[in-house]
Amino acid sequence: MKLLMRLAAAGIALLLLHSSLYAQKHVFVEAESFENKGGWVTDQQSFVVIGSSYLMAHGMGRPVKDAVTTVTFPAKGKYRMWVRTKDWAPFPTGPGKFTLSIDGQQAGPVFGASGNDAWKWYDGGTVDIKNEQVKLTMKDLTGFNGRCDAILFTDAAKFTPPNTLKDLTAFRNKLLNLHAEPDNGGHYDLVVVGGGIAGTCAAISAARQGLKTALIQDRPVLGGNNSSEVRVHLKGDIDKNHYPKLGRIVREMDNGDPGNGHPDAAEYGDKRKIEIVKAEKNLTLFLNMHVYKVEMDKDQIKAVIGRNISTNQDVRFTGTFFSDCTGDGTVGFLAGADFRMGRESKAETGESLASEKADDFTLGTSNLWASLERDTVSSFPETPWALQFSDEYHIDQARSDWEWETGFGNFNTITEAEQIRDHNLRAIYGNWSYLKKSKPEKYAKRELAWVAYIGGKRESRRILGDHILTQMDIQEGKFYPDGAVTATWTIDLHFPQEKNSKYFEGQEFFASTKHIRVAPYTIPYRCLYSRNISNLFMAGRNISTTHVAFGSTRVMRTCGMMGEVVGFAAGIAKRHNTSPRGVYQHHLPELIAILKDEPLPPQQMTNKVE
């Protein structure tokens, strides 16, 4: 009897607790979903870490225009406001200050300068909501990359929002109704994830083979590192290859050679790239869509799920074949594909250029920048929170090139992408502040015209295929039966510049390289599909190579030709109802004939490669 009474009491307590939680009124505002973002920009690069995109005030030292949105409350009254942000460069506090206003009145303190560089919720105090619809304004105070992930209003005075990734994701999904069924994005013969040069060329190539194709890109522009957001020029030759069919789509994507970090965004042809893609009748483009989940059936991918980086709406895409052109190998990783990250040892690969021991060292990420000459003298703020430069060491440049690079094993290029970008920004702003103050004869009338806030990555995961390209394959010019893409770039492995290491040991941001010249060589088709995920292709810097070989294959014209080959192979796989591996095993002559732009007698199309 006592046990029953205890159980009954416990049940009543649980009921009361449930009722209390149910009665709470939470209003969750994702910063990236603001209706008018003003001068703030959307950054999705750390989705894997924080489970969301966020807004950032990237003003290069000049405050950006306010971000404004309308928020609807379930009722008027007192609410406690929480703001999820961080102090990205504390010294002891950093420059990312911003405020929030409700219907024109500042609510809470100044955010973004707490001295804590971790993402967390900050208590904004109690606010009095006098209307069921209010105007919420986010005001940047400095122009130096203040950032906000989300804002929560709650009528539960003692409630603290969760901060761990798992709990916050569940909380966010519940309040935004993201646990509901995702929208149906459709079924496709080929789903290409990643809209850099490799992915864009793969999607166009497949569409022209008659395949119903989806191209999913997590930014508002195509081109990846060749877009106006990153501004790296195309390298690698397309006129030295063995196959006249290859490189034609790459030429369509090529907007000329503006060099690295050109201050004019139009030089990189964002609009042209999108127009070319949209002109393909078999190709559907999905911009601003970050793929973060896959659905599997044994060793096959059945679907990928993406989340819009501004609206947070989930969309599900099903397909027969998938191509991972993300650079980070995101789809392959989520699917359980075999991959490698970092350097192999000499003992493992037999390569003379390999590391003595295997490690996590990867080539770095660049954030390029440029200044322009103006008619009048301008100033630039003091930056005590940035890297500090002196007469003894500074970089006397009016525009960056590829050498501005952070990584080198000090940071993980996937899980620490935000820290890498922020380190680059601290180097850029600190150096520019020094130049403006200490070299007025050269820089007084120059001002920063552009700084990349999206990091241009070089290396992360490499998905393993049936063949792993090595240094010996490259330098010995091995021509395998499935040799497909002809590559011409040097073995170009970056490392910290010696002088930069002297002054910033462990915090290097400037690179050197030693080019190992190579004769044109071919990349086997077997490097372009996963060895253990049966319907997964890949193209770009995530293909199956060693770290050393990757130093040559990673440039964008070469990656674009990989994409073209994937499109051709996907067409063959579709026609013959086979797998990417099946194309190699049973239909290689057909693939080679397409690359040669030659007709092939039907009886040869069934030849099998043993």
Side-chain angles (χ1 to χ4, degrees), residues 550-575:
F550 158 85
S552 173
T553 62
R554 62 186 177 82
V555 292
M556 283 185 279
R557 287 197 184 102
T558 303
C559 292
M561 289 191 286
M562 298 175 199
E564 294 182 37
V565 172
V566 163
F568 296 138
I572 295 171
K574 173 68 175 177
R575 285 194 293 275

Side-chain angles (χ1 to χ4, degrees), residues 116-288:
N116 190 327
D117 63 359
W119 282 103
K120 57 181 292 188
W121 290 99
Y122 288 87
D123 188 353
T126 300
V127 296
D128 188 8
I129 301 301
K130 299 178 180 179
N131 302 294
E132 291 185 355
Q133 273 199 340
V134 303
K135 184 174 77 170
L136 181 62
T137 301
M138 191 152 57
K139 177 177 286 294
D140 169 38
L141 300 180
T142 69
F144 278 125
N145 302 89
R147 58 203 70 179
C148 181
D149 176 25
I151 303 146
L152 175 72
F153 298 92
T154 178
D155 68 350
K158 295 184 179 180
F159 178 80
T160 301
N163 199 55
T164 64
L165 178 59
K166 180 180 178 181
D167 293 340
L168 176 58
T169 298
F171 184 66
R172 175 187 282 117
N173 288 351
K174 181 178 180 181
L175 293 185
L176 298 180
N177 200 30
L178 298 180
H179 60 281
E181 282 295 312
D183 287 350
N184 180 15
H187 180 82
Y188 300 88
D189 298 318
L190 178 67
V191 177
V192 179
V193 183
I197 295 298
T200 303
C201 290
I204 293 171
S205 176
R208 291 177 182 175
Q209 296 295 300
L211 273 63
K212 184 181 178 183
T213 306
L215 175 58
I216 305 172
Q217 165 70 334
D218 63 0
R219 297 300 304 165
V221 295
L222 295 172
N225 284 350
N226 186 239
S227 72
S228 65
E229 292 189 322
V230 184
R231 305 190 193 183
V232 176
H233 57 174
L234 300 178
K235 284 297 179 181
D237 295 324
I238 57 176
D239 58 355
K240 295 183 175 64
N241 64 68
H242 296 277
Y243 305 116
K245 189 82 169 181
L246 279 185
R248 294 176 183 176
I249 300 175
V250 177
R251 285 190 182 94
E252 293 179 52
M253 295 293 101
D254 197 334
N255 206 55
D257 187 2
N260 290 326
H262 197 288
D264 184 358
E267 291 290 330
Y268 296 88
D270 292 347
K271 184 179 178 182
R272 271 187 69 251
K273 294 182 178 80
I274 289 176
E275 287 175 345
I276 291 169
V277 166
K278 288 188 173 181
E280 294 296 328
K281 64 179 181 179
N282 296 319
L283 177 54
T284 306
L285 175 62
F286 299 88
L287 294 172
N288 298 306

Side-chain angles (χ1 to χ4, degrees), residues 9 22 54 80 214 233 275 340 366 398 415 421 449 455 461 467:
Y22 186 80
Y54 60 83
R80 192 174 179 185
H233 57 174
E275 287 175 345
R340 186 66 183 260
S366 287
T415 61
R421 187 273 315 282
R461 301 184 188 102
H467 184 84

Side-chain angles (χ1 to χ4, degrees), residues 19 76 154 177 203 206 265 283 303 305 326 451 456 470 500 531 552 558 569 582:
S19 299
K76 302 174 187 177
T154 178
N177 200 30
L283 177 54
I305 297 175
T326 61
V451 177
T470 68
N500 192 244
R531 70 187 187 187
S552 173
T558 303

Side-chain angles (χ1 to χ4, degrees), residues 1 67 87 113 130 155 179 184 261 274 278 296 313 363 456 465 493 508 525 559 585:
M1 187 65 166
D87 186 344
K130 299 178 180 179
D155 68 350
H179 60 281
N184 180 15
I274 289 176
K278 288 188 173 181
M296 300 294 296
Q313 179 57 50
L363 272 64
L493 298 171
E508 294 89 349
Y525 165 69
C559 292
Q585 293 177 326

Side-chain angles (χ1 to χ4, degrees), residues 377-389:
V377 171
S378 61
S379 62
F380 193 76
E382 295 287 339
T383 57
W385 43 268
L387 299 188
Q388 297 301 297
F389 295 82

